[in-house]
Short mmCIF file of all heavy atoms in Angstrom, two decimals:
data_model
loop_
_atom_site.label_atom_id
_atom_site.label_comp_id
_atom_site.label_asym_id
_atom_site.label_seq_id
_atom_site.Cartn_x
_atom_site.Cartn_y
_atom_site.Cartn_z
N VAL A 3 -11.99 -6.55 -17.52
CA VAL A 3 -10.62 -6.50 -17.97
C VAL A 3 -9.69 -6.26 -16.78
O VAL A 3 -9.97 -5.37 -15.95
CB VAL A 3 -10.41 -5.37 -19.01
CG1 VAL A 3 -8.98 -5.26 -19.44
CG2 VAL A 3 -11.30 -5.59 -20.21
N ILE A 4 -8.63 -7.03 -16.66
CA ILE A 4 -7.66 -6.81 -15.58
C ILE A 4 -6.63 -5.77 -16.04
O ILE A 4 -6.04 -5.90 -17.11
CB ILE A 4 -6.92 -8.13 -15.23
CG1 ILE A 4 -7.91 -9.19 -14.72
CG2 ILE A 4 -5.84 -7.88 -14.20
CD1 ILE A 4 -8.61 -8.80 -13.45
N TYR A 5 -6.51 -4.72 -15.27
CA TYR A 5 -5.61 -3.63 -15.61
C TYR A 5 -4.51 -3.53 -14.56
O TYR A 5 -4.74 -3.08 -13.42
CB TYR A 5 -6.42 -2.31 -15.65
CG TYR A 5 -5.61 -1.06 -15.76
CD1 TYR A 5 -5.03 -0.69 -16.99
CD2 TYR A 5 -5.37 -0.27 -14.67
CE1 TYR A 5 -4.27 0.45 -17.08
CE2 TYR A 5 -4.60 0.88 -14.79
CZ TYR A 5 -4.06 1.24 -15.97
OH TYR A 5 -3.29 2.36 -16.08
N PRO A 6 -3.29 -3.99 -14.86
CA PRO A 6 -2.19 -3.85 -13.91
C PRO A 6 -1.41 -2.57 -14.17
O PRO A 6 -1.16 -2.20 -15.32
CB PRO A 6 -1.31 -5.07 -14.21
CG PRO A 6 -1.56 -5.33 -15.66
CD PRO A 6 -2.96 -4.87 -15.97
N LYS A 7 -1.09 -1.86 -13.13
CA LYS A 7 -0.25 -0.65 -13.22
C LYS A 7 1.03 -0.96 -12.43
O LYS A 7 0.99 -1.04 -11.19
CB LYS A 7 -1.00 0.54 -12.64
CG LYS A 7 -0.13 1.77 -12.50
CD LYS A 7 0.27 2.39 -13.81
CE LYS A 7 0.97 3.72 -13.54
NZ LYS A 7 1.55 4.30 -14.76
N LYS A 8 2.14 -1.18 -13.13
CA LYS A 8 3.38 -1.58 -12.49
C LYS A 8 4.45 -0.56 -12.88
O LYS A 8 4.57 -0.17 -14.01
CB LYS A 8 3.82 -2.97 -12.93
CG LYS A 8 5.11 -3.45 -12.26
CD LYS A 8 5.57 -4.76 -12.81
CE LYS A 8 6.84 -5.24 -12.19
NZ LYS A 8 7.93 -4.30 -12.12
N ALA A 9 5.24 -0.15 -11.87
CA ALA A 9 6.33 0.77 -12.15
C ALA A 9 7.27 0.77 -10.91
O ALA A 9 7.05 0.07 -9.94
CB ALA A 9 5.81 2.19 -12.39
N THR A 10 8.29 1.57 -11.04
CA THR A 10 9.23 1.78 -9.95
C THR A 10 9.33 3.26 -9.66
O THR A 10 9.34 4.06 -10.59
CB THR A 10 10.65 1.24 -10.32
OG1 THR A 10 10.51 -0.15 -10.61
CG2 THR A 10 11.65 1.44 -9.24
N ALA A 11 9.38 3.63 -8.40
CA ALA A 11 9.56 5.04 -7.99
C ALA A 11 10.55 5.07 -6.87
O ALA A 11 10.70 4.11 -6.10
CB ALA A 11 8.21 5.61 -7.54
N THR A 12 11.24 6.18 -6.76
CA THR A 12 12.27 6.34 -5.71
C THR A 12 11.80 7.35 -4.68
O THR A 12 11.36 8.47 -5.02
CB THR A 12 13.58 6.80 -6.33
OG1 THR A 12 14.01 5.80 -7.27
CG2 THR A 12 14.66 6.97 -5.26
N ALA A 13 11.89 6.96 -3.42
CA ALA A 13 11.53 7.86 -2.33
C ALA A 13 12.58 8.93 -2.16
O ALA A 13 13.80 8.66 -2.17
CB ALA A 13 11.37 7.06 -1.03
N VAL A 14 12.13 10.16 -2.00
CA VAL A 14 12.99 11.29 -1.72
C VAL A 14 12.47 11.90 -0.41
O VAL A 14 11.26 12.14 -0.29
CB VAL A 14 12.93 12.35 -2.84
CG1 VAL A 14 13.75 13.58 -2.49
CG2 VAL A 14 13.41 11.75 -4.17
N ALA A 15 13.35 12.07 0.56
CA ALA A 15 12.95 12.48 1.89
C ALA A 15 11.89 11.54 2.45
O ALA A 15 10.99 11.94 3.17
CB ALA A 15 12.45 13.93 1.90
N GLY A 16 12.01 10.24 2.09
CA GLY A 16 11.16 9.21 2.63
C GLY A 16 9.79 9.08 1.99
O GLY A 16 8.97 8.31 2.45
N THR A 17 9.53 9.83 0.88
CA THR A 17 8.15 9.84 0.32
C THR A 17 8.17 9.84 -1.21
O THR A 17 9.07 10.41 -1.82
CB THR A 17 7.44 11.12 0.76
OG1 THR A 17 7.41 11.12 2.19
CG2 THR A 17 6.04 11.22 0.24
N PHE A 18 7.16 9.25 -1.80
CA PHE A 18 6.83 9.47 -3.18
C PHE A 18 5.31 9.26 -3.37
O PHE A 18 4.68 8.56 -2.61
CB PHE A 18 7.61 8.58 -4.19
CG PHE A 18 7.19 7.14 -4.24
CD1 PHE A 18 6.13 6.72 -5.03
CD2 PHE A 18 7.87 6.17 -3.50
CE1 PHE A 18 5.75 5.40 -5.08
CE2 PHE A 18 7.48 4.83 -3.56
CZ PHE A 18 6.43 4.45 -4.36
N SER A 19 4.77 9.91 -4.36
CA SER A 19 3.35 9.80 -4.71
C SER A 19 3.21 9.61 -6.20
O SER A 19 3.94 10.23 -6.97
CB SER A 19 2.57 11.04 -4.31
OG SER A 19 2.47 11.15 -2.90
N VAL A 20 2.26 8.76 -6.60
CA VAL A 20 1.98 8.52 -8.01
C VAL A 20 0.47 8.48 -8.19
O VAL A 20 -0.30 8.07 -7.30
CB VAL A 20 2.61 7.24 -8.55
CG1 VAL A 20 4.13 7.31 -8.53
CG2 VAL A 20 2.14 6.03 -7.77
N THR A 21 0.01 8.92 -9.38
CA THR A 21 -1.40 8.85 -9.71
C THR A 21 -1.66 7.53 -10.45
O THR A 21 -0.93 7.20 -11.40
CB THR A 21 -1.81 10.03 -10.61
OG1 THR A 21 -1.56 11.24 -9.85
CG2 THR A 21 -3.28 9.95 -10.97
N ILE A 22 -2.68 6.81 -9.99
CA ILE A 22 -3.05 5.54 -10.62
C ILE A 22 -4.37 5.78 -11.34
O ILE A 22 -5.40 5.94 -10.72
CB ILE A 22 -3.24 4.41 -9.54
CG1 ILE A 22 -2.01 4.33 -8.61
CG2 ILE A 22 -3.59 3.11 -10.20
CD1 ILE A 22 -0.75 3.93 -9.30
N PRO A 23 -4.33 5.79 -12.70
CA PRO A 23 -5.58 5.98 -13.41
C PRO A 23 -6.45 4.74 -13.33
O PRO A 23 -5.96 3.61 -13.46
CB PRO A 23 -5.11 6.26 -14.84
CG PRO A 23 -3.79 5.62 -14.94
CD PRO A 23 -3.20 5.64 -13.56
N ALA A 24 -7.73 4.92 -13.09
CA ALA A 24 -8.66 3.80 -13.04
C ALA A 24 -10.04 4.32 -13.33
O ALA A 24 -10.37 5.46 -13.05
CB ALA A 24 -8.60 3.12 -11.70
N THR A 25 -10.87 3.47 -13.92
CA THR A 25 -12.28 3.79 -14.09
C THR A 25 -13.07 2.86 -13.21
O THR A 25 -12.53 2.27 -12.28
CB THR A 25 -12.66 3.65 -15.58
OG1 THR A 25 -12.38 2.31 -16.00
CG2 THR A 25 -11.92 4.62 -16.44
N ALA A 26 -14.33 2.66 -13.52
CA ALA A 26 -15.19 1.82 -12.67
C ALA A 26 -14.65 0.39 -12.63
O ALA A 26 -14.39 -0.23 -13.64
CB ALA A 26 -16.61 1.82 -13.21
N GLY A 27 -14.46 -0.10 -11.42
CA GLY A 27 -13.96 -1.46 -11.27
C GLY A 27 -13.71 -1.78 -9.79
O GLY A 27 -14.18 -1.08 -8.89
N ILE A 28 -12.95 -2.83 -9.60
CA ILE A 28 -12.59 -3.30 -8.25
C ILE A 28 -11.07 -3.44 -8.17
O ILE A 28 -10.48 -4.11 -9.01
CB ILE A 28 -13.23 -4.69 -7.95
CG1 ILE A 28 -14.78 -4.64 -8.08
CG2 ILE A 28 -12.84 -5.19 -6.57
CD1 ILE A 28 -15.47 -3.83 -7.07
N CYS A 29 -10.49 -2.79 -7.16
CA CYS A 29 -9.06 -2.97 -6.95
C CYS A 29 -8.86 -4.33 -6.28
O CYS A 29 -9.45 -4.63 -5.24
CB CYS A 29 -8.51 -1.87 -6.05
SG CYS A 29 -6.75 -2.03 -5.73
N LYS A 30 -8.03 -5.16 -6.89
CA LYS A 30 -7.83 -6.53 -6.45
C LYS A 30 -6.56 -6.67 -5.62
O LYS A 30 -6.46 -7.57 -4.77
CB LYS A 30 -7.78 -7.48 -7.62
CG LYS A 30 -9.06 -7.56 -8.42
CD LYS A 30 -10.12 -8.19 -7.57
CE LYS A 30 -11.22 -8.81 -8.39
NZ LYS A 30 -12.13 -9.59 -7.58
N GLN A 31 -5.53 -5.84 -5.90
CA GLN A 31 -4.23 -6.03 -5.25
C GLN A 31 -3.44 -4.72 -5.21
O GLN A 31 -3.46 -3.99 -6.20
CB GLN A 31 -3.43 -7.11 -5.92
CG GLN A 31 -2.08 -7.38 -5.28
CD GLN A 31 -1.27 -8.44 -6.04
OE1 GLN A 31 -1.55 -8.74 -7.20
NE2 GLN A 31 -0.29 -8.99 -5.38
N ILE A 32 -2.78 -4.47 -4.07
CA ILE A 32 -1.76 -3.44 -3.97
C ILE A 32 -0.54 -4.09 -3.45
O ILE A 32 -0.53 -4.77 -2.41
CB ILE A 32 -2.20 -2.31 -3.04
CG1 ILE A 32 -3.48 -1.62 -3.55
CG2 ILE A 32 -1.07 -1.32 -2.84
CD1 ILE A 32 -3.99 -0.54 -2.62
N PHE A 33 0.57 -3.96 -4.23
CA PHE A 33 1.85 -4.58 -3.93
C PHE A 33 2.89 -3.50 -3.95
O PHE A 33 3.00 -2.76 -4.96
CB PHE A 33 2.13 -5.65 -5.00
CG PHE A 33 3.47 -6.30 -4.90
CD1 PHE A 33 3.61 -7.51 -4.25
CD2 PHE A 33 4.60 -5.74 -5.50
CE1 PHE A 33 4.85 -8.16 -4.18
CE2 PHE A 33 5.82 -6.34 -5.42
CZ PHE A 33 5.97 -7.54 -4.76
N VAL A 34 3.66 -3.36 -2.90
CA VAL A 34 4.76 -2.40 -2.85
C VAL A 34 5.93 -3.11 -2.22
O VAL A 34 5.84 -3.74 -1.15
CB VAL A 34 4.41 -1.15 -1.98
CG1 VAL A 34 5.62 -0.19 -1.96
CG2 VAL A 34 3.17 -0.45 -2.50
N LYS A 35 7.09 -3.07 -2.91
CA LYS A 35 8.31 -3.73 -2.40
C LYS A 35 9.47 -2.78 -2.41
O LYS A 35 9.81 -2.20 -3.43
CB LYS A 35 8.63 -4.94 -3.29
CG LYS A 35 9.84 -5.72 -2.79
CD LYS A 35 10.09 -6.93 -3.63
CE LYS A 35 11.26 -7.69 -3.07
NZ LYS A 35 11.93 -8.49 -4.03
N ALA A 36 10.08 -2.63 -1.24
CA ALA A 36 11.28 -1.80 -1.12
C ALA A 36 12.49 -2.60 -1.65
O ALA A 36 12.49 -3.81 -1.67
CB ALA A 36 11.51 -1.43 0.35
N THR A 37 13.51 -1.89 -2.07
CA THR A 37 14.72 -2.53 -2.55
C THR A 37 15.36 -3.35 -1.45
O THR A 37 15.81 -4.47 -1.65
CB THR A 37 15.73 -1.50 -3.09
OG1 THR A 37 15.12 -0.77 -4.16
CG2 THR A 37 17.00 -2.14 -3.56
N THR A 38 15.36 -2.81 -0.24
CA THR A 38 15.97 -3.48 0.90
C THR A 38 14.89 -4.06 1.81
O THR A 38 13.91 -3.40 2.13
CB THR A 38 16.78 -2.47 1.76
OG1 THR A 38 17.72 -1.81 0.87
CG2 THR A 38 17.54 -3.13 2.89
N SER A 39 15.01 -5.33 2.17
CA SER A 39 13.98 -6.02 2.91
C SER A 39 13.72 -5.47 4.33
O SER A 39 12.69 -5.70 4.92
CB SER A 39 14.31 -7.50 3.00
OG SER A 39 15.47 -7.72 3.73
N SER A 40 14.66 -4.69 4.85
CA SER A 40 14.51 -4.12 6.21
C SER A 40 13.95 -2.71 6.21
O SER A 40 13.71 -2.12 7.26
CB SER A 40 15.84 -4.13 6.93
OG SER A 40 16.80 -3.37 6.23
N THR A 41 13.68 -2.15 5.01
CA THR A 41 13.14 -0.78 4.93
C THR A 41 11.68 -0.77 5.42
O THR A 41 10.88 -1.58 5.02
CB THR A 41 13.21 -0.28 3.48
OG1 THR A 41 14.55 -0.26 3.03
CG2 THR A 41 12.59 1.09 3.32
N THR A 42 11.39 0.17 6.29
CA THR A 42 10.01 0.34 6.75
C THR A 42 9.36 1.55 6.05
O THR A 42 10.06 2.46 5.68
CB THR A 42 9.96 0.56 8.30
OG1 THR A 42 10.70 1.72 8.61
CG2 THR A 42 10.47 -0.64 9.03
N PHE A 43 8.03 1.44 5.83
CA PHE A 43 7.34 2.51 5.13
C PHE A 43 5.85 2.41 5.40
O PHE A 43 5.34 1.41 5.88
CB PHE A 43 7.59 2.43 3.62
CG PHE A 43 7.26 1.10 3.02
CD1 PHE A 43 6.02 0.91 2.44
CD2 PHE A 43 8.17 0.03 2.99
CE1 PHE A 43 5.70 -0.35 1.86
CE2 PHE A 43 7.84 -1.19 2.43
CZ PHE A 43 6.60 -1.38 1.86
N ASP A 44 5.12 3.50 5.08
CA ASP A 44 3.70 3.56 5.22
C ASP A 44 3.07 3.61 3.79
O ASP A 44 3.68 4.14 2.87
CB ASP A 44 3.23 4.81 5.97
CG ASP A 44 3.79 4.89 7.39
OD1 ASP A 44 4.18 3.82 7.91
OD2 ASP A 44 3.84 5.99 7.96
N VAL A 45 1.87 3.06 3.66
CA VAL A 45 1.15 3.01 2.38
C VAL A 45 -0.17 3.73 2.54
O VAL A 45 -0.89 3.48 3.53
CB VAL A 45 0.90 1.57 1.93
CG1 VAL A 45 0.12 1.54 0.63
CG2 VAL A 45 2.20 0.80 1.79
N LYS A 46 -0.50 4.61 1.60
CA LYS A 46 -1.75 5.36 1.65
C LYS A 46 -2.34 5.47 0.26
O LYS A 46 -1.62 5.71 -0.72
CB LYS A 46 -1.49 6.76 2.23
CG LYS A 46 -2.70 7.61 2.42
CD LYS A 46 -2.30 8.92 3.07
CE LYS A 46 -3.44 9.84 3.32
NZ LYS A 46 -2.97 11.10 3.96
N LEU A 47 -3.66 5.31 0.18
CA LEU A 47 -4.37 5.39 -1.09
C LEU A 47 -5.50 6.40 -0.90
O LEU A 47 -6.33 6.28 0.02
CB LEU A 47 -4.94 4.03 -1.47
CG LEU A 47 -5.41 3.80 -2.89
CD1 LEU A 47 -4.26 4.00 -3.87
CD2 LEU A 47 -6.02 2.44 -3.03
N VAL A 48 -5.50 7.45 -1.77
CA VAL A 48 -6.47 8.54 -1.68
C VAL A 48 -7.30 8.57 -2.96
O VAL A 48 -6.73 8.44 -4.07
CB VAL A 48 -5.76 9.88 -1.44
CG1 VAL A 48 -6.77 11.05 -1.43
CG2 VAL A 48 -4.99 9.86 -0.12
N ASP A 49 -8.61 8.73 -2.83
CA ASP A 49 -9.47 8.70 -4.01
C ASP A 49 -9.62 10.07 -4.64
O ASP A 49 -9.00 11.04 -4.22
CB ASP A 49 -10.84 8.09 -3.66
CG ASP A 49 -11.74 9.01 -2.83
OD1 ASP A 49 -11.35 10.15 -2.51
OD2 ASP A 49 -12.82 8.54 -2.48
N ILE A 50 -10.48 10.17 -5.70
CA ILE A 50 -10.63 11.41 -6.46
C ILE A 50 -11.31 12.52 -5.65
O ILE A 50 -11.27 13.68 -6.03
CB ILE A 50 -11.43 11.20 -7.76
CG1 ILE A 50 -12.82 10.65 -7.46
CG2 ILE A 50 -10.66 10.29 -8.71
CD1 ILE A 50 -13.73 10.56 -8.69
N PHE A 51 -11.89 12.17 -4.51
CA PHE A 51 -12.54 13.13 -3.61
C PHE A 51 -11.63 13.55 -2.45
O PHE A 51 -12.08 14.13 -1.50
CB PHE A 51 -13.87 12.61 -3.12
CG PHE A 51 -14.81 12.18 -4.20
CD1 PHE A 51 -15.12 10.84 -4.39
CD2 PHE A 51 -15.35 13.12 -5.06
CE1 PHE A 51 -15.98 10.45 -5.41
CE2 PHE A 51 -16.21 12.76 -6.09
CZ PHE A 51 -16.52 11.40 -6.27
N SER A 52 -10.36 13.16 -2.55
CA SER A 52 -9.36 13.43 -1.49
C SER A 52 -9.66 12.70 -0.19
O SER A 52 -9.25 13.16 0.89
CB SER A 52 -9.18 14.93 -1.26
OG SER A 52 -8.76 15.56 -2.41
N LEU A 53 -10.38 11.60 -0.29
CA LEU A 53 -10.65 10.75 0.89
C LEU A 53 -9.63 9.60 0.96
O LEU A 53 -9.35 8.98 -0.04
CB LEU A 53 -12.06 10.18 0.83
CG LEU A 53 -13.21 11.20 0.76
CD1 LEU A 53 -14.53 10.52 0.48
CD2 LEU A 53 -13.27 11.98 2.06
N THR A 54 -9.11 9.36 2.14
CA THR A 54 -8.20 8.25 2.33
C THR A 54 -9.00 6.99 2.40
O THR A 54 -9.78 6.81 3.31
CB THR A 54 -7.37 8.47 3.61
OG1 THR A 54 -6.60 9.66 3.49
CG2 THR A 54 -6.41 7.29 3.86
N VAL A 55 -8.80 6.10 1.41
CA VAL A 55 -9.55 4.84 1.36
C VAL A 55 -8.74 3.63 1.87
O VAL A 55 -9.30 2.59 2.15
CB VAL A 55 -10.09 4.55 -0.05
CG1 VAL A 55 -11.10 5.60 -0.46
CG2 VAL A 55 -8.96 4.45 -1.05
N LEU A 56 -7.45 3.82 2.04
CA LEU A 56 -6.59 2.80 2.60
C LEU A 56 -5.40 3.47 3.27
O LEU A 56 -4.82 4.37 2.63
CB LEU A 56 -6.14 1.81 1.52
CG LEU A 56 -5.21 0.72 1.99
CD1 LEU A 56 -5.65 -0.62 1.35
CD2 LEU A 56 -3.77 1.00 1.60
N GLU A 57 -5.05 3.02 4.43
CA GLU A 57 -3.82 3.55 5.08
C GLU A 57 -3.29 2.47 6.02
O GLU A 57 -3.97 2.02 6.93
CB GLU A 57 -4.19 4.82 5.87
CG GLU A 57 -2.94 5.49 6.40
CD GLU A 57 -3.23 6.90 6.90
OE1 GLU A 57 -4.40 7.19 7.25
OE2 GLU A 57 -2.28 7.70 6.94
N ASP A 58 -2.07 2.03 5.72
CA ASP A 58 -1.40 1.05 6.56
C ASP A 58 0.00 1.60 6.92
O ASP A 58 0.64 2.22 6.07
CB ASP A 58 -1.24 -0.29 5.84
CG ASP A 58 -2.49 -1.12 5.87
OD1 ASP A 58 -3.17 -1.12 6.94
OD2 ASP A 58 -2.83 -1.75 4.87
N THR A 59 0.41 1.37 8.14
CA THR A 59 1.67 1.91 8.61
C THR A 59 2.64 0.78 8.97
O THR A 59 2.24 -0.35 9.21
CB THR A 59 1.48 2.84 9.83
OG1 THR A 59 0.84 2.08 10.86
CG2 THR A 59 0.63 4.02 9.46
N ASP A 60 3.91 1.17 8.97
CA ASP A 60 4.98 0.30 9.46
C ASP A 60 5.12 -1.03 8.71
O ASP A 60 5.38 -2.09 9.31
CB ASP A 60 4.84 0.00 10.95
CG ASP A 60 4.89 1.29 11.77
OD1 ASP A 60 5.68 2.19 11.40
OD2 ASP A 60 4.13 1.38 12.78
N SER A 61 5.00 -0.98 7.39
CA SER A 61 5.30 -2.17 6.60
C SER A 61 6.80 -2.33 6.52
O SER A 61 7.52 -1.32 6.46
CB SER A 61 4.74 -2.02 5.18
OG SER A 61 3.32 -1.94 5.22
N THR A 62 7.28 -3.53 6.49
CA THR A 62 8.71 -3.78 6.43
C THR A 62 9.06 -4.58 5.18
O THR A 62 8.64 -5.75 5.07
CB THR A 62 9.24 -4.50 7.69
OG1 THR A 62 8.91 -3.72 8.83
CG2 THR A 62 10.75 -4.71 7.64
N GLY A 63 9.77 -3.94 4.26
CA GLY A 63 10.23 -4.65 3.06
C GLY A 63 9.19 -4.83 1.99
O GLY A 63 9.44 -4.56 0.82
N LEU A 64 8.01 -5.35 2.37
CA LEU A 64 7.00 -5.71 1.39
C LEU A 64 5.60 -5.45 1.94
O LEU A 64 5.33 -5.76 3.06
CB LEU A 64 7.13 -7.19 1.03
CG LEU A 64 6.06 -7.77 0.11
CD1 LEU A 64 6.17 -7.20 -1.29
CD2 LEU A 64 6.19 -9.30 0.06
N TYR A 65 4.77 -4.83 1.09
CA TYR A 65 3.34 -4.68 1.41
C TYR A 65 2.60 -5.34 0.27
O TYR A 65 2.77 -4.97 -0.89
CB TYR A 65 2.97 -3.20 1.48
CG TYR A 65 1.52 -2.96 1.76
CD1 TYR A 65 1.01 -2.97 3.07
CD2 TYR A 65 0.63 -2.73 0.72
CE1 TYR A 65 -0.32 -2.76 3.31
CE2 TYR A 65 -0.71 -2.52 0.96
CZ TYR A 65 -1.20 -2.52 2.25
OH TYR A 65 -2.52 -2.33 2.51
N ASN A 66 1.82 -6.38 0.58
CA ASN A 66 1.08 -7.09 -0.47
C ASN A 66 -0.33 -7.38 0.06
O ASN A 66 -0.50 -8.26 0.91
CB ASN A 66 1.81 -8.42 -0.82
CG ASN A 66 1.21 -9.09 -2.03
OD1 ASN A 66 0.48 -8.48 -2.81
ND2 ASN A 66 1.49 -10.36 -2.19
N GLN A 67 -1.27 -6.62 -0.41
CA GLN A 67 -2.62 -6.69 0.08
C GLN A 67 -3.60 -7.07 -1.03
O GLN A 67 -3.69 -6.39 -2.03
CB GLN A 67 -3.04 -5.34 0.68
CG GLN A 67 -4.39 -5.32 1.34
CD GLN A 67 -4.43 -6.08 2.65
OE1 GLN A 67 -3.43 -6.07 3.41
NE2 GLN A 67 -5.48 -6.74 2.92
N PHE A 68 -4.31 -8.20 -0.83
CA PHE A 68 -5.41 -8.58 -1.76
C PHE A 68 -6.68 -8.01 -1.19
O PHE A 68 -6.90 -8.04 0.05
CB PHE A 68 -5.47 -10.09 -1.89
CG PHE A 68 -4.27 -10.67 -2.61
CD1 PHE A 68 -3.19 -11.12 -1.87
CD2 PHE A 68 -4.26 -10.73 -3.96
CE1 PHE A 68 -2.08 -11.66 -2.51
CE2 PHE A 68 -3.13 -11.25 -4.61
CZ PHE A 68 -2.05 -11.71 -3.90
N MET A 69 -7.56 -7.51 -2.02
CA MET A 69 -8.76 -6.82 -1.56
C MET A 69 -9.86 -6.83 -2.58
O MET A 69 -9.69 -7.30 -3.71
CB MET A 69 -8.40 -5.40 -1.17
CG MET A 69 -7.87 -4.60 -2.40
SD MET A 69 -7.26 -2.97 -1.98
CE MET A 69 -5.95 -3.35 -0.88
N GLU A 70 -10.98 -6.26 -2.22
CA GLU A 70 -12.12 -6.05 -3.09
C GLU A 70 -12.58 -4.59 -2.89
O GLU A 70 -13.67 -4.31 -2.36
CB GLU A 70 -13.27 -7.01 -2.74
CG GLU A 70 -12.95 -8.48 -3.02
CD GLU A 70 -13.00 -8.80 -4.50
OE1 GLU A 70 -13.81 -8.23 -5.23
OE2 GLU A 70 -12.17 -9.66 -4.91
#
Side-chain angles (χ1 to χ4, degrees):
V3 176
I4 299 296
Y5 171 76
K7 171 69 174 172
K8 181 185 180 310
T10 300
T12 300
V14 175
T17 302
F18 76 83
S19 290
V20 294
T21 299
I22 308 295
T25 57
I28 303 291
C29 180
K30 296 293 203 172
Q31 181 182 17
I32 298 176
F33 175 96
V34 180
K35 183 179 181 202
T37 300
T38 307
S39 64
S40 60
T41 299
T42 59
F43 57 93
D44 300 339
V45 178
K46 184 176 180 180
L47 196 61
V48 176
D49 73 3
I50 59 172
F51 304 112
S52 299
L53 299 171
T54 300
V55 295
L56 179 135
E57 188 167 24
D58 280 320
T59 59
D60 299 323
S61 296
T62 302
L64 175 68
Y65 178 85
N66 189 19
Q67 184 71 36
F68 292 94
M69 61 187 61
E70 294 285 326

